[in-house]
Amino acid sequence: VRASFTLQRASTLPTQTRELRHAATMPITHDVETERHCCCGLWKTTQMFGAIAGVVLFIVFVAACPVRTEYSTANCMMGITLLCGCFWVFEVMPIYVTALLPLILIPICKIDSTDDIARSYWGPIQMLFVAIYLVDIAMEEVQLPKRVALHVLLRSGIDWRPRTLMLFFMIGSWILAMFVNVVAVVLMITPFAVNLVETMEERAHEKQAEASESGESAADNSACSVNTEDGDSSQVQRFGAGLLLGIAFSATAGGLATLTGSIPNRILAGIDLINYQVTWVMWLAYGLPISFAVFLITYLVLDFLYIRNSKMSAIGKDVVQTHYDEFVDENGTFNRDELVVGIAQILQIIILVCDQWVIFPCIKTADGANLLSDASTAAIPALLLFLVPSIKRPGQSVLTWPSVHENLDFGVLLLIGGGFAISRGFESSGLEETMGAWISYMLDDVNSYGLSLIVLLVGSVGTQIFSSIAAATTVLSVLKSVALNSVVNPLQLLLPGTVAFSLAFALPTATPSNVVALAKSQTLSRPLRVCDFVRAGVPINLLAIPVVAFISLYMSEGLFDASAPFPLQMCADPTANCQIVDIPGIVQGRNVTTQACMLLDNDSGTCCKLWNGTMVTLPNTTDTFGEPPAPVEVPVPGDDGPAPEPDGAP
């Protein structure tokens, strides 16, 4: 039983690529060593604990209603969220199947209808994911990134020292992860890195053996093992650990840079309230500087821990040539299939960057509304791969459906949909508003930088413990509600909140890329251990959080004007539940003539709350956008006194 509670080790994970794809997101389920004592051999002890905890929490919240709120279904929704969270964290069921629980439980608890919840599982974000993943699969099939990496290493004409070699691999992982699925990137690069480290270690052992056979004394042999550049295999092992960590961490940092680079980013893109602002190119402008800062901190920390004072010599051209020859023998020379896939990838990137300026304006409705989105335009290069004949497989296209069927992770679509379903349940049940009122009351006097710092710290720590999927689905909904309750721009909280879910470096199971690196290290003489992730990940997180908070604050201000008063156009979204009122005043340091007022229902009519906490009574109306009704009995709008304490606040 005790073995069931041990932390994940490299030897407990599968090594085959197909199984490892799933183990990257479900390491407990795919543990191949630990005995399963519970439920007739189905569950480990941890899974049994998760099942009991989830069910008990669900029953407590449904039956006892511990959350004090005016909304009758808010406690049920909290129970559903905790049930899904426990099942996700402890992998009681495959995490993809757990994502279907909201589809079953939300209608049963009378929170929302099946039709409305089912729409969360298939939409523009899921279609954008499919379009990008199709090109990713083609890239992985032809192994174009590996060929390019070997070619650059070989043609550079230099001997690669450990410091520059690790930087090369990390830059490659970082750039690829922006446009290719993070798990696919790490799966493509880590085997090459592992083979390279194994070759280096073999040469170190050979050199030590030659020194020992030369008849030198034991003392001379010891000195040689310490001072000979290639002779100390422990230095090679140390370098190998740093290299694999660098590949995993830089891929995570790269995924942060684009809207489709990580699942939390995709969940953010699916929030209707802000998706008109957070486009693919706008997120790239916001996320790229943050991603680069995290990448730079990661490299400096790993260099300090694993490369500093290393006596290893440069890796000769002959080593790289050997690996390149093996690759050519297996895959042949550069061919048309690789060229077509490379063009498709570049075309997809160009389209995603330029479509809102070049393509979208050409296809509009009569009243000027866009008819296209990123999902439509990103699918164009993906479909072209099915129309170009393959030169390696005559009679077939460059990308075939069997390859898609085998490699496309359909479960991720359910995960994204499950996140959207929980978010919708938060809105429909009133839980979002209840939690938002509590948290906004506690953070009422925190400045903008402090708020970003708190959001990043809580999100990052939560992601180390729970899955980024479970954290993102619940926390982003709560942050949106906090913003609405405080009548501030939701982007002020949602942007740093989303970034926080990618700052997960301290545990091997914190992100899928960490799991892949841990599993691929099995073949090394010294596999990665939990302490390696903790030793490197904790300082990276501690350094990155304050830096990211600073960059996020100023990038969000420059690109989205996130510190401005609540955007009036957001009141057009029904989920905002706000009213535009003609009340002049000072809102967040800016003079305004009209401002947003969050609607609150009560017995006497319709009330709404301004940014400074002032309550405004309005005539009964169902119109939440357009010409505002004349407010009745308006208190002094310029009062900057504290907001009233919400019902049920601690």
Side-chain angles (χ1 to χ4, degrees):
V1 174
R2 184 170 52 199
S4 298
F5 284 103
T6 57
L7 290 170
Q8 200 76 46
R9 304 184 306 279
S11 60
T12 68
L13 294 168
T15 56
Q16 297 298 318
T17 298
R18 185 170 184 176
E19 288 78 11
L20 188 53
R21 286 182 187 276
H22 301 294
T25 50
M26 295 181 288
I28 297 177
T29 302
H30 289 80
D31 189 328
V32 296
E33 280 193 358
T34 306
E35 294 182 5
R36 300 174 184 271
H37 302 279
C38 306
C39 197
C40 300
L42 177 64
W43 288 336
K44 295 164 56 177
T45 307
T46 49
Q47 293 172 297
M48 186 68 181
F49 172 80
I52 295 173
V55 172
V56 169
L57 287 171
F58 176 74
I59 293 173
V60 167
F61 275 87
V62 171
C65 298
V67 177
R68 290 183 295 160
T69 176
E70 60 183 298
Y71 300 100
S72 59
T73 56
N75 280 280
C76 292
M77 190 62 224
M78 178 60 81
I80 293 171
T81 304
L82 293 174
L83 176 65
C84 292
C86 289
F87 276 38
W88 265 325
V89 171
F90 297 100
E91 297 175 27
V92 177
M93 297 187 297
I95 60 174
Y96 310 126
V97 178
T98 299
L100 293 174
L101 284 177
L103 179 65
I104 301 170
L105 296 177
I106 289 177
I108 290 177
C109 292
K110 300 180 180 180
I111 297 171
D112 210 333
S113 68
T114 298
D115 290 345
D116 290 337
I117 296 301
R119 293 190 187 97
S120 303
Y121 289 85
W122 196 254
I125 297 302
Q126 286 91 332
M127 289 306 304
L128 178 60
F129 168 82
V130 170
I132 290 176
Y133 215 122
L134 290 176
V135 180
D136 293 353
I137 292 171
M139 289 277 284
E140 190 175 359
E141 285 283 301
V142 300
Q143 298 194 59
L144 181 60
K146 185 174 182 179
R147 184 186 295 277
V148 172
L150 283 168
H151 185 78
V152 172
L153 285 171
L154 189 61
R155 301 305 176 193
S156 63
I158 63 174
D159 290 338
W160 291 82
R161 300 199 67 82
R163 179 172 281 112
T164 53
L165 185 64
M166 186 170 75
L167 180 61
F168 173 79
F169 273 96
M170 289 182 64
I171 290 176
S173 300
W174 178 62
I175 294 175
L176 275 175
M178 296 180 192
F179 311 107
V180 181
N181 177 266
V182 171
V183 173
V185 169
V186 182
L187 282 172
M188 283 189 285
I189 295 180
T190 48
F192 174 36
V194 167
N195 290 338
L196 195 61
V197 172
E198 288 175 339
T199 302
M200 294 165 61
E201 193 168 0
E202 288 174 4
R203 295 200 170 200
H205 285 304
E206 290 173 1
K207 199 159 189 177
Q208 286 178 331
E210 290 173 2
S212 116
E213 291 173 0
S214 64
E216 296 177 352
S217 64
D220 292 337
N221 285 336
S222 175
C224 180
S225 68
V226 173
N227 297 322
T228 300
E229 291 183 336
D230 282 329
D232 192 355
S233 60
S234 65
Q235 293 191 15
V236 178
Q237 295 171 357
R238 181 181 174 190
F239 167 74
L243 181 61
L244 291 182
L245 289 175
I247 292 170
F249 291 172
S250 57
T252 300
L256 193 158
T258 59
L259 197 58
T260 53
S262 69
I263 293 178
N265 293 6
R266 296 172 199 148
I267 293 175
L268 174 73
I271 298 177
D272 294 335
L273 190 65
I274 52 91
N275 61 13
Y276 74 96
Q277 286 182 286
V278 185
T279 61
W280 195 93
V281 68
M282 288 297 288
W283 179 270
L284 179 66
Y286 166 79
L288 188 58
I290 296 174
S291 175
F292 178 74
V294 174
F295 168 81
L296 186 61
I297 291 170
T298 299
Y299 173 72
L300 293 175
V301 170
L302 292 177
D303 180 83
F304 179 82
L305 293 176
Y306 293 96
I307 307 297
R308 182 175 59 98
N309 299 327
S310 174
K311 302 297 182 180
M312 288 173 55
S313 65
I315 297 172
K317 186 178 179 180
D318 56 331
V319 176
V320 181
Q321 184 68 56
T322 300
H323 284 278
Y324 184 77
D325 292 340
E326 291 175 355
F327 179 83
V328 172
D329 290 341
E330 182 179 350
N331 298 277
T333 58
F334 183 77
N335 57 67
R336 190 180 67 195
D337 289 6
E338 296 173 43
L339 176 63
V340 169
V341 172
I343 293 174
Q345 180 69 82
I346 294 172
L347 180 61
Q348 190 175 65
I349 295 170
I350 293 173
I351 287 176
L352 287 171
V353 171
C354 302
D355 57 6
Q356 63 177 318
W357 296 297
V358 178
I359 303 176
F360 292 174
C362 300
I363 305 177
K364 291 178 175 287
T365 61
D367 56 359
N370 286 330
L371 290 173
L372 287 177
S373 69
D374 288 335
S376 298
T377 53
I380 297 172
L383 295 182
L384 292 177
L385 294 174
F386 290 93
L387 298 176
V388 178
S390 170
I391 195 171
K392 291 187 67 175
R393 301 183 305 275
Q396 297 182 355
S397 57
V398 171
L399 182 61
T400 61
W401 182 250
S403 297
V404 174
H405 186 269
E406 181 178 353
N407 296 304
L408 181 60
D409 194 353
F410 292 99
V412 174
L413 301 177
L414 294 179
L415 284 176
I416 298 172
F420 292 160
I422 290 177
S423 178
R424 183 175 180 86
F426 266 57
E427 295 171 5
S428 302
S429 66
L431 179 61
E432 184 180 76
E433 184 174 334
T434 301
M435 296 186 68
W438 292 351
I439 297 173
S440 63
Y441 173 74
M442 291 186 288
L443 300 178
D444 187 54
D445 296 325
V446 181
N447 61 33
S448 297
Y449 178 77
L451 198 59
S452 295
L453 200 61
I454 292 172
V455 170
L456 283 163
L457 181 62
V458 172
S460 176
V461 172
T463 305
Q464 313 290 343
I465 303 171
F466 309 105
S467 70
S468 60
I469 301 159
T473 52
T474 54
V475 174
L476 289 182
S477 292
V478 173
L479 289 178
K480 185 185 80 170
S481 183
V482 170
L484 294 177
N485 191 270
S486 302
V487 201
V488 298
N489 192 334
L491 292 176
Q492 193 172 353
L493 297 178
L494 291 176
L495 292 176
T498 303
V499 170
F501 304 125
S502 294
L503 302 181
F505 305 107
L507 288 176
T509 53
T511 62
S513 57
N514 289 5
V515 175
V516 174
L518 179 71
K520 289 296 185 181
S521 71
Q522 287 186 48
T523 57
L524 296 176
S525 58
R526 180 193 174 279
L528 287 174
R529 299 163 296 178
V530 173
C531 63
D532 292 316
F533 288 91
V534 175
R535 182 181 177 221
V538 170
I540 290 173
N541 273 108
L542 292 177
L543 291 171
I545 287 174
V547 173
V548 169
F550 179 82
I551 298 174
S552 174
L553 180 63
Y554 284 94
M555 293 303 298
S556 61
E557 172 65 23
L559 292 170
F560 302 100
D561 199 14
S563 64
F566 189 91
L568 300 183
Q569 59 267 41
M570 285 189 181
C571 288
D573 191 300
T575 62
N577 197 32
C578 68
Q579 172 75 61
I580 299 174
V581 293
D582 287 324
I583 300 178
I586 298 177
V587 178
Q588 294 180 261
R590 304 192 188 188
N591 286 308
V592 299
T593 57
T594 59
Q595 55 183 297
C597 193
M598 293 301 155
L599 296 173
L600 302 170
D601 292 330
N602 59 17
D603 296 335
S604 60
T606 302
C607 287
C608 66
K609 185 177 76 171
L610 300 177
W611 168 75
N612 64 0
T614 300
M615 306 302 293
V616 178
T617 301
L618 302 171
N620 290 327
T621 178
T622 58
D623 183 21
T624 58
F625 191 75
E627 290 296 328
V632 178
E633 195 179 338
V634 181
V636 180
D639 181 18
D640 292 327
E645 181 175 332
D647 181 33

